Amino acid sequence: MLTAVSGNKYSNTAAATGGTLIARKNCDDFISRITKAEFGSKGLTLDTAGCDVGISVPCVNKPDADGLFVKRGEGTLSFSGSEWTVSRTEVRGGTMKFLGDNDTATDMTLT
């Protein structure tokens, strides 16, 4: 489940504590409009289902948790946020790209 943990008009955090999101179309900002996504021990599975989608927000562990993120399905997930510190990241299909956001960053692709 992806739920709003805290928020106001300046800062919004969502927490993933289990469940699956399934993409239905290509979308550069599939997870956006929040300031941070936190992943708990049951985390989140994102099934790209043949679509190309993007995440543009920082993705971190929930406090005192070893976060879990699973990318499943054909298609590409592109991460362009400023921070990815989810302890357990698994790619079970398709491609996951980490895009550098400045001249000194290096892109990385997992398949």
Side-chain angles (χ1 to χ4, degrees):
M1 176 180 294
L2 189 64
T3 57
V5 176
S6 62
N8 57 45
K9 67 181 184 177
Y10 303 106
S11 176
N12 296 297
T13 298
T17 56
T20 301
L21 289 177
I22 302 172
R24 299 287 184 214
K25 65 179 184 174
N26 294 338
C27 182
D28 289 340
D29 59 354
F30 189 74
I31 297 178
S32 63
R33 299 188 181 147
I34 56 176
T35 53
K36 178 173 58 174
E38 294 180 340
F39 293 83
S41 60
K42 293 183 181 179
L44 179 73
T45 297
L46 174 57
D47 187 342
T48 51
C51 299
D52 296 334
V53 300
I55 297 175
S56 59
V57 300
C59 295
V60 301
N61 293 324
K62 284 186 70 174
D64 301 319
D66 285 331
L68 172 65
F69 179 85
V70 177
K71 191 276 183 210
R72 182 173 75 189
E74 294 304 313
T76 299
L77 168 62
S78 297
F79 174 74
S80 61
S82 62
E83 178 181 15
W84 185 278
T85 55
V86 180
S87 294
R88 298 174 294 147
T89 301
E90 301 176 13
V91 178
R92 296 185 184 169
T95 301
M96 184 170 180
K97 292 183 177 183
F98 292 85
L99 305 174
D101 62 353
N102 59 48
D103 293 336
T104 61
T106 303
D107 293 353
M108 179 174 67
T109 301
L110 305 174
T111 55

